[in-house]
Amino acid sequence: MARLKNIIISIITFAIVGLSLYGIFLLLRPVASEINTLNPNVIASLIAALTAVFGYLYNQRKSKLRDIAETHRLQKVELYKSFMDMTVNILMKTKTGELNELPDGQIPSDLEKQFMHFTRDLISWGSPEVIKTFKKFRDSSEHGPNPQVIVLVDDILHAMRKDLGHSNFGLRRGDLIKLFIKDPHEVDKLLQGSQ
């Protein structure tokens, strides 16, 4: 039954495409016959003019998109830098034991404020991949202390690098967060535990 349905849908699709192409042919046939009656020099001039116009419009569009991307990139650099500052701040507070004094799941108010500002700006400037990775991180950290959060921070850093146009070629999962951590072998243990 499903196979018959697929065959019928395919036949209808081919019929619609075929009729559409035939309709376009009928519409363009009078134009083509008029073009054939023109002087070859006029045809060459028309083609050159159309090529120049389309080339100009294409270059203008590319230039505008490049300018927008560069403006966005500057905003993203500042945003992603703020995330790295928060990461360093959390790691420093963890090292000094400041976070251990707080009840489970609670974070200092200054960090909470930074996260709220970061999240607000991330919605405006972050790529979909960075937003999804950050959401995974937030979802994981809401359930109390979770050692896997460190690996998720590394995933965010990878996504941020990619969004800024950097290659992650040759970088494995965990390599970026290891740069912040005193004992990088802890990250290897977490990665082995997650497999």
Side-chain angles (χ1 to χ4, degrees), residues 121-138:
D121 294 340
L122 183 66
I123 291 168
S124 297
W125 302 108
S127 71
E129 185 177 349
V130 174
I131 292 171
K132 287 177 185 177
T133 311
F134 183 72
K135 184 183 179 315
K136 260 197 245 181
F137 162 77
R138 289 288 301 254

Side-chain angles (χ1 to χ4, degrees), residues 85-163:
D85 290 343
M86 284 188 302
T87 301
V88 169
N89 193 359
I90 290 171
L91 290 172
M92 295 297 285
K93 287 181 187 263
T94 302
K95 185 178 179 182
T96 61
E98 271 184 71
L99 295 181
N100 296 341
E101 298 169 4
L102 297 170
D104 279 349
Q106 189 176 358
I107 61 172
S109 61
D110 63 322
L111 280 176
E112 188 172 3
K113 197 180 293 184
Q114 285 178 326
F115 267 105
M116 293 306 285
H117 288 287
F118 174 78
T119 304
R120 177 199 64 202
D121 294 340
L122 183 66
I123 291 168
S124 297
W125 302 108
S127 71
E129 185 177 349
V130 174
I131 292 171
K132 287 177 185 177
T133 311
F134 183 72
K135 184 183 179 315
K136 260 197 245 181
F137 162 77
R138 289 288 301 254
D139 292 346
S140 176
S141 59
E142 284 179 359
H143 305 298
N146 179 358
Q148 288 298 320
V149 167
I150 290 179
V151 177
L152 294 172
V153 170
D154 184 76
D155 293 343
I156 294 170
L157 295 173
H158 274 86
M160 288 176 175
R161 282 180 49 81
K162 182 179 178 184
D163 188 29

Side-chain angles (χ1 to χ4, degrees), residues 46 50-51 56 63 65 67 80 91 111-112 124 126 155 165 192:
L46 281 173
L50 286 174
T51 303
Y56 174 78
S63 177
L65 290 175
D67 291 345
Y80 296 163
L91 290 172
L111 280 176
E112 188 172 3
S124 297
D155 293 343
Q192 288 174 354

